[in-house]
């Protein structure tokens, strides 16, 4: 069942401008997600060795997550993304 907003939602969606997340903001969100604020000083003292931690996190989390999102978005091409996929499950 595709997502169909009500008339009030459609009016409010057309009035609000869309905001695009920049690359820097996206990278900072991912760094904050992988290495929480408590771990950042430890990662900073580790220096370049901490890059292996980020590579491991990319391979074990972000790569499979992006493949799942690509598969689900082609299977169910509706608006709503993860929320729609979970609702349909």
């Amino acid at each position: 069942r595709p997502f169909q907003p009500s008339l009030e939602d459609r009016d409010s969606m057309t009035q609000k401008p869309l905001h695009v997340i920049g690359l820097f903001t996206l990278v900072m969100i991912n760094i904050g997600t992988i290495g929480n604020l408590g771990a950042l000083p430890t990662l900073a003292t580790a220096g370049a060795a901490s890059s292996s931690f980020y590579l491991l996190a990319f391979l074990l989390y972000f790569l499979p997550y992006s493949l799942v999102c690509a598969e689900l978005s082609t299977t169910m091409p509706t608006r709503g993304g993860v929320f729609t996929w979970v609702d349909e499950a």
Side-chain angles (χ1 to χ4, degrees):
R1 139 191 117 192
F3 173 73
Q4 295 184 351
S6 66
L7 291 176
E8 295 85 21
D9 291 336
R10 288 182 193 167
D11 290 338
S12 66
M13 285 191 295
T14 57
Q15 293 172 356
K16 295 179 185 176
L18 295 176
H19 296 283
V20 178
I21 295 177
L23 179 63
F24 178 76
T25 305
L26 186 62
V27 168
M28 289 298 119
I29 288 171
N30 288 328
I31 288 174
T33 303
I34 295 171
N36 59 27
L37 292 177
L40 285 180
T42 305
L43 292 173
T45 57
S50 65
S51 62
S52 62
F53 176 69
Y54 288 108
L55 180 64
L56 182 68
F58 171 76
L59 292 175
L60 294 179
Y61 179 74
F62 290 112
L63 188 62
Y65 183 76
S66 63
L67 293 173
V68 167
C69 287
E71 182 66 29
L72 286 172
S73 65
T74 56
T75 305
M76 294 186 277
T78 58
R79 294 187 73 188
V82 176
F83 298 105
T84 303
W85 304 331
V86 170
D87 186 46
E88 293 291 324

